[in-house]
Amino acid sequence: MIQPHEPSLLSDENQFGPAASQMVREQLADRGIDDPRVLEGMRRVPRHIFLHFTLWARAYEDVALPTLHGQTISQPYMVASMTQLLAAAPEHRVLEIGTGSGYQTMILALLAREVVSVEREPELAQQARLTLQQFDVNNVSIHVGDGSLGHPPAAPYDRILVTAGSPDVPQALLDQLADGGRMVIPVGDRKSQTLLAIDRNGEKLTRRTATECRFVPLVGEQGWPAGSEG
Ligand code: SAH
């Protein structure tokens, strides 16, 4: 049966609802993701909507998948791990660097008060805007620019999530992190990184390392030089 194209948040009544519930159980909860708000967000956001329709059958699998322009939508477990580490609360304003498909952006939109997301590729930003418009979200803004410099007009941010791999922690992002705030960022070389959580308390910064990960490079003034994407 052909169903009308009507994206909405998932429940078990939707076509993809059971697949999303299974993803949450087997890929997330069974592997130690235990923040109920994160699990609920991951269960409700339809991941297939962020992918080309030829990939819909694989949308809830335990893998990263390609989007436009050779970018990737991260593995669900990685999205959930980062989101849990970020610990965004309903009153928080969040800066996300690397909008990509907008999937992670949509998860954050359910968890926080406001999400400001920066994407370097104009076409990706536009596609993500169109995708998010299909949902009733009014707390997200997507900007085209070099996110290694953050987004100063709306700073400071309670939470900053970088979803591209950086050679180091950009000073611009530290400068835009609110007192009491937290940044989660993959730092390392071009092929593999370590996920860092950095907490700011006044002038004091506390760093913690979490898992190893692989993200596409953060290309920009305080990231990798352009031309180093591959
Ligand atoms: N969170 C995304 C996946 C991000 S992939 C999702 O859920 O789909 C990383 C993204 O970071 C890519 O879209 C890439 O174009 C973008 N990117 C790389 N360098 C950037 C920069 N300096 N500023 C903003 N975005 C950047």
Side-chain angles (χ1 to χ4, degrees), residues 60-89:
Y60 299 89
E61 288 181 11
D62 187 18
V63 287
L65 290 167
T67 60
L68 293 170
H69 304 284
Q71 304 294 356
T72 50
I73 180 167
S74 306
Q75 179 197 22
Y77 177 71
M78 187 47 66
V79 174
S81 301
M82 291 183 100
T83 310
Q84 176 159 284
L85 193 57
L86 193 69

mmCIF file of all heavy atoms in Angstrom, residues 60-89:
data_model
loop_
_atom_site.group_PDB
_atom_site.id
_atom_site.type_symbol
_atom_site.label_atom_id
_atom_site.label_comp_id
_atom_site.label_asym_id
_atom_site.label_seq_id
_atom_site.Cartn_x
_atom_site.Cartn_y
_atom_site.Cartn_z
ATOM 1 N N TYR A 60 17.120 2.199 9.867
ATOM 2 C CA TYR A 60 17.211 1.944 11.313
ATOM 3 C C TYR A 60 18.279 0.906 11.637
ATOM 4 O O TYR A 60 18.305 0.369 12.738
ATOM 5 C CB TYR A 60 15.818 1.596 11.866
ATOM 6 C CG TYR A 60 14.882 2.767 11.638
ATOM 7 C CD1 TYR A 60 14.152 2.886 10.457
ATOM 8 C CD2 TYR A 60 14.823 3.813 12.558
ATOM 9 C CE1 TYR A 60 13.370 3.996 10.197
ATOM 10 C CE2 TYR A 60 14.046 4.928 12.316
ATOM 11 C CZ TYR A 60 13.324 5.021 11.132
ATOM 12 O OH TYR A 60 12.566 6.141 10.882
ATOM 13 N N GLU A 61 19.155 0.660 10.657
ATOM 14 C CA GLU A 61 20.260 -0.281 10.891
ATOM 15 C C GLU A 61 21.369 0.381 11.690
ATOM 16 O O GLU A 61 21.468 1.602 11.776
ATOM 17 C CB GLU A 61 20.807 -0.777 9.537
ATOM 18 C CG GLU A 61 19.861 -1.730 8.833
ATOM 19 C CD GLU A 61 20.433 -2.230 7.509
ATOM 20 O OE1 GLU A 61 21.624 -2.012 7.237
ATOM 21 O OE2 GLU A 61 19.649 -2.823 6.744
ATOM 22 N N ASP A 62 22.245 -0.477 12.199
ATOM 23 C CA ASP A 62 23.311 -0.068 13.105
ATOM 24 C C ASP A 62 24.522 0.477 12.338
ATOM 25 O O ASP A 62 25.640 0.048 12.558
ATOM 26 C CB ASP A 62 23.692 -1.336 13.901
ATOM 27 C CG ASP A 62 24.669 -1.051 15.009
ATOM 28 O OD1 ASP A 62 24.797 0.117 15.399
ATOM 29 O OD2 ASP A 62 25.295 -2.023 15.476
ATOM 30 N N VAL A 63 24.287 1.395 11.407
ATOM 31 C CA VAL A 63 25.375 1.886 10.557
ATOM 32 C C VAL A 63 25.222 3.380 10.257
ATOM 33 O O VAL A 63 24.122 3.919 10.312
ATOM 34 C CB VAL A 63 25.418 1.149 9.189
ATOM 35 C CG1 VAL A 63 25.942 -0.262 9.342
ATOM 36 C CG2 VAL A 63 24.047 1.148 8.518
ATOM 37 N N ALA A 64 26.362 4.012 9.923
ATOM 38 C CA ALA A 64 26.325 5.351 9.343
ATOM 39 C C ALA A 64 25.887 5.199 7.887
ATOM 40 O O ALA A 64 26.172 4.182 7.259
ATOM 41 C CB ALA A 64 27.700 5.995 9.418
ATOM 42 N N LEU A 65 25.175 6.166 7.348
ATOM 43 C CA LEU A 65 24.693 6.066 5.972
ATOM 44 C C LEU A 65 25.023 7.350 5.208
ATOM 45 O O LEU A 65 25.103 8.423 5.798
ATOM 46 C CB LEU A 65 23.179 5.814 5.968
ATOM 47 C CG LEU A 65 22.746 4.430 6.462
ATOM 48 C CD1 LEU A 65 21.241 4.389 6.725
ATOM 49 C CD2 LEU A 65 23.129 3.336 5.466
ATOM 50 N N PRO A 66 25.228 7.222 3.880
ATOM 51 C CA PRO A 66 25.595 8.397 3.089
ATOM 52 C C PRO A 66 24.429 9.358 2.878
ATOM 53 O O PRO A 66 23.290 8.931 2.706
ATOM 54 C CB PRO A 66 26.050 7.788 1.753
ATOM 55 C CG PRO A 66 25.394 6.453 1.679
ATOM 56 C CD PRO A 66 25.200 5.976 3.090
ATOM 57 N N THR A 67 24.738 10.651 2.894
ATOM 58 C CA THR A 67 23.746 11.658 2.522
ATOM 59 C C THR A 67 24.254 12.352 1.257
ATOM 60 O O THR A 67 25.122 11.838 0.576
ATOM 61 C CB THR A 67 23.566 12.703 3.645
ATOM 62 O OG1 THR A 67 24.817 13.332 3.879
ATOM 63 C CG2 THR A 67 23.075 12.066 4.918
ATOM 64 N N LEU A 68 23.747 13.509 0.953
ATOM 65 C CA LEU A 68 24.214 14.276 -0.212
ATOM 66 C C LEU A 68 25.691 14.615 -0.058
ATOM 67 O O LEU A 68 26.204 14.673 1.044
ATOM 68 C CB LEU A 68 23.454 15.601 -0.282
ATOM 69 C CG LEU A 68 21.967 15.558 -0.576
ATOM 70 C CD1 LEU A 68 21.397 16.948 -0.358
ATOM 71 C CD2 LEU A 68 21.746 15.113 -1.993
ATOM 72 N N HIS A 69 26.361 14.886 -1.150
ATOM 73 C CA HIS A 69 27.720 15.435 -1.136
ATOM 74 C C HIS A 69 28.719 14.582 -0.369
ATOM 75 O O HIS A 69 29.663 15.102 0.220
ATOM 76 C CB HIS A 69 27.740 16.841 -0.528
ATOM 77 C CG HIS A 69 26.823 17.788 -1.212
ATOM 78 N ND1 HIS A 69 27.104 18.347 -2.425
ATOM 79 C CD2 HIS A 69 25.602 18.244 -0.857
ATOM 80 C CE1 HIS A 69 26.103 19.127 -2.786
ATOM 81 N NE2 HIS A 69 25.178 19.067 -1.856
ATOM 82 N N GLY A 70 28.515 13.293 -0.358
ATOM 83 C CA GLY A 70 29.485 12.412 0.288
ATOM 84 C C GLY A 70 29.583 12.568 1.796
ATOM 85 O O GLY A 70 30.550 12.123 2.406
ATOM 86 N N GLN A 71 28.609 13.232 2.424
ATOM 87 C CA GLN A 71 28.622 13.333 3.887
ATOM 88 C C GLN A 71 27.886 12.135 4.473
ATOM 89 O O GLN A 71 27.287 11.351 3.743
ATOM 90 C CB GLN A 71 27.970 14.636 4.339
ATOM 91 C CG GLN A 71 28.610 15.876 3.734
ATOM 92 C CD GLN A 71 30.034 16.099 4.203
ATOM 93 O OE1 GLN A 71 30.543 15.375 5.054
ATOM 94 N NE2 GLN A 71 30.696 17.086 3.635
ATOM 95 N N THR A 72 27.922 12.004 5.777
ATOM 96 C CA THR A 72 27.259 10.851 6.377
ATOM 97 C C THR A 72 26.321 11.260 7.496
ATOM 98 O O THR A 72 26.523 12.273 8.156
ATOM 99 C CB THR A 72 28.291 9.866 6.977
ATOM 100 O OG1 THR A 72 29.185 10.607 7.809
ATOM 101 C CG2 THR A 72 29.062 9.140 5.913
ATOM 102 N N ILE A 73 25.300 10.469 7.665
ATOM 103 C CA ILE A 73 24.434 10.569 8.841
ATOM 104 C C ILE A 73 24.994 9.522 9.802
ATOM 105 O O ILE A 73 25.185 8.368 9.444
ATOM 106 C CB ILE A 73 22.954 10.355 8.461
ATOM 107 C CG1 ILE A 73 22.023 10.446 9.659
ATOM 108 C CG2 ILE A 73 22.702 9.066 7.732
ATOM 109 C CD1 ILE A 73 20.548 10.560 9.227
ATOM 110 N N SER A 74 25.351 9.952 10.995
ATOM 111 C CA SER A 74 26.092 9.087 11.914
ATOM 112 C C SER A 74 25.279 7.861 12.322
ATOM 113 O O SER A 74 24.043 7.860 12.266
ATOM 114 C CB SER A 74 26.478 9.866 13.167
ATOM 115 O OG SER A 74 27.169 11.042 12.819
ATOM 116 N N GLN A 75 25.997 6.848 12.767
ATOM 117 C CA GLN A 75 25.381 5.640 13.318
ATOM 118 C C GLN A 75 24.485 6.049 14.509
ATOM 119 O O GLN A 75 24.880 6.904 15.306
ATOM 120 C CB GLN A 75 26.533 4.749 13.785
ATOM 121 C CG GLN A 75 26.167 3.453 14.407
ATOM 122 C CD GLN A 75 27.346 2.881 15.196
ATOM 123 O OE1 GLN A 75 28.247 3.606 15.599
ATOM 124 N NE2 GLN A 75 27.328 1.586 15.416
ATOM 125 N N PRO A 76 23.300 5.446 14.626
ATOM 126 C CA PRO A 76 22.401 5.833 15.726
ATOM 127 C C PRO A 76 23.079 5.793 17.102
ATOM 128 O O PRO A 76 22.882 6.697 17.918
ATOM 129 C CB PRO A 76 21.271 4.792 15.643
ATOM 130 C CG PRO A 76 21.249 4.373 14.214
ATOM 131 C CD PRO A 76 22.671 4.454 13.724
ATOM 132 N N TYR A 77 23.902 4.772 17.343
ATOM 133 C CA TYR A 77 24.558 4.666 18.652
ATOM 134 C C TYR A 77 25.469 5.867 18.909
ATOM 135 O O TYR A 77 25.563 6.362 20.040
ATOM 136 C CB TYR A 77 25.361 3.356 18.744
ATOM 137 C CG TYR A 77 26.110 3.229 20.052
ATOM 138 C CD1 TYR A 77 25.409 3.007 21.234
ATOM 139 C CD2 TYR A 77 27.492 3.361 20.104
ATOM 140 C CE1 TYR A 77 26.082 2.917 22.447
ATOM 141 C CE2 TYR A 77 28.170 3.270 21.302
ATOM 142 C CZ TYR A 77 27.468 3.044 22.478
ATOM 143 O OH TYR A 77 28.136 2.975 23.668
ATOM 144 N N MET A 78 26.136 6.356 17.857
ATOM 145 C CA MET A 78 27.021 7.517 18.027
ATOM 146 C C MET A 78 26.211 8.778 18.303
ATOM 147 O O MET A 78 26.562 9.575 19.176
ATOM 148 C CB MET A 78 27.906 7.669 16.774
ATOM 149 C CG MET A 78 28.978 8.718 16.892
ATOM 150 S SD MET A 78 29.957 8.693 18.423
ATOM 151 C CE MET A 78 30.826 7.127 18.243
ATOM 152 N N VAL A 79 25.097 8.940 17.584
ATOM 153 C CA VAL A 79 24.217 10.093 17.831
ATOM 154 C C VAL A 79 23.716 10.055 19.284
ATOM 155 O O VAL A 79 23.754 11.062 20.000
ATOM 156 C CB VAL A 79 23.014 10.080 16.853
ATOM 157 C CG1 VAL A 79 22.023 11.179 17.193
ATOM 158 C CG2 VAL A 79 23.504 10.237 15.407
ATOM 159 N N ALA A 80 23.294 8.872 19.720
ATOM 160 C CA ALA A 80 22.754 8.739 21.082
ATOM 161 C C ALA A 80 23.842 8.970 22.126
ATOM 162 O O ALA A 80 23.617 9.645 23.140
ATOM 163 C CB ALA A 80 22.118 7.364 21.263
ATOM 164 N N SER A 81 25.043 8.438 21.891
ATOM 165 C CA SER A 81 26.140 8.602 22.857
ATOM 166 C C SER A 81 26.509 10.072 23.015
ATOM 167 O O SER A 81 26.690 10.570 24.125
ATOM 168 C CB SER A 81 27.402 7.864 22.400
ATOM 169 O OG SER A 81 27.142 6.508 22.233
ATOM 170 N N MET A 82 26.621 10.753 21.878
ATOM 171 C CA MET A 82 26.972 12.181 21.929
ATOM 172 C C MET A 82 25.875 12.973 22.619
ATOM 173 O O MET A 82 26.144 13.871 23.408
ATOM 174 C CB MET A 82 27.156 12.739 20.516
ATOM 175 C CG MET A 82 28.352 12.210 19.800
ATOM 176 S SD MET A 82 28.481 13.020 18.204
ATOM 177 C CE MET A 82 29.722 14.233 18.535
ATOM 178 N N THR A 83 24.640 12.628 22.299
ATOM 179 C CA THR A 83 23.517 13.378 22.865
ATOM 180 C C THR A 83 23.435 13.146 24.367
ATOM 181 O O THR A 83 23.189 14.074 25.144
ATOM 182 C CB THR A 83 22.194 12.957 22.179
ATOM 183 O OG1 THR A 83 22.372 13.022 20.766
ATOM 184 C CG2 THR A 83 21.061 13.862 22.578
ATOM 185 N N GLN A 84 23.690 11.922 24.792
ATOM 186 C CA GLN A 84 23.659 11.630 26.229
ATOM 187 C C GLN A 84 24.783 12.361 26.956
ATOM 188 O O GLN A 84 24.587 12.939 28.030
ATOM 189 C CB GLN A 84 23.775 10.117 26.454
ATOM 190 C CG GLN A 84 23.857 9.725 27.924
ATOM 191 C CD GLN A 84 23.457 8.277 28.167
ATOM 192 O OE1 GLN A 84 22.292 7.938 28.142
ATOM 193 N NE2 GLN A 84 24.441 7.429 28.406
ATOM 194 N N LEU A 85 25.972 12.377 26.334
ATOM 195 C CA LEU A 85 27.120 13.067 26.927
ATOM 196 C C LEU A 85 26.859 14.574 27.015
ATOM 197 O O LEU A 85 27.275 15.242 27.964
ATOM 198 C CB LEU A 85 28.349 12.781 26.064
ATOM 199 C CG LEU A 85 29.732 13.118 26.599
ATOM 200 C CD1 LEU A 85 29.996 12.421 27.924
ATOM 201 C CD2 LEU A 85 30.792 12.706 25.575
ATOM 202 N N LEU A 86 26.161 15.103 26.032
ATOM 203 C CA LEU A 86 25.869 16.535 25.994
ATOM 204 C C LEU A 86 24.932 16.941 27.132
ATOM 205 O O LEU A 86 25.047 18.025 27.674
ATOM 206 C CB LEU A 86 25.254 16.898 24.638
ATOM 207 C CG LEU A 86 25.165 18.383 24.306
ATOM 208 C CD1 LEU A 86 26.557 18.966 24.081
ATOM 209 C CD2 LEU A 86 24.283 18.614 23.084
ATOM 210 N N ALA A 87 24.011 16.046 27.490
ATOM 211 C CA ALA A 87 23.068 16.294 28.585
ATOM 212 C C ALA A 87 22.334 17.632 28.427
ATOM 213 O O ALA A 87 22.365 18.483 29.317
ATOM 214 C CB ALA A 87 23.789 16.213 29.939
ATOM 215 N N ALA A 88 21.701 17.816 27.291
ATOM 216 C CA ALA A 88 20.940 19.046 27.049
ATOM 217 C C ALA A 88 19.630 18.996 27.829
ATOM 218 O O ALA A 88 18.914 18.000 27.781
ATOM 219 C CB ALA A 88 20.662 19.212 25.554
ATOM 220 N N ALA A 89 19.336 20.069 28.548
ATOM 221 C CA ALA A 89 18.106 20.144 29.342
ATOM 222 C C ALA A 89 17.105 21.061 28.637
ATOM 223 O O ALA A 89 17.481 21.837 27.760
ATOM 224 C CB ALA A 89 18.448 20.680 30.727
#
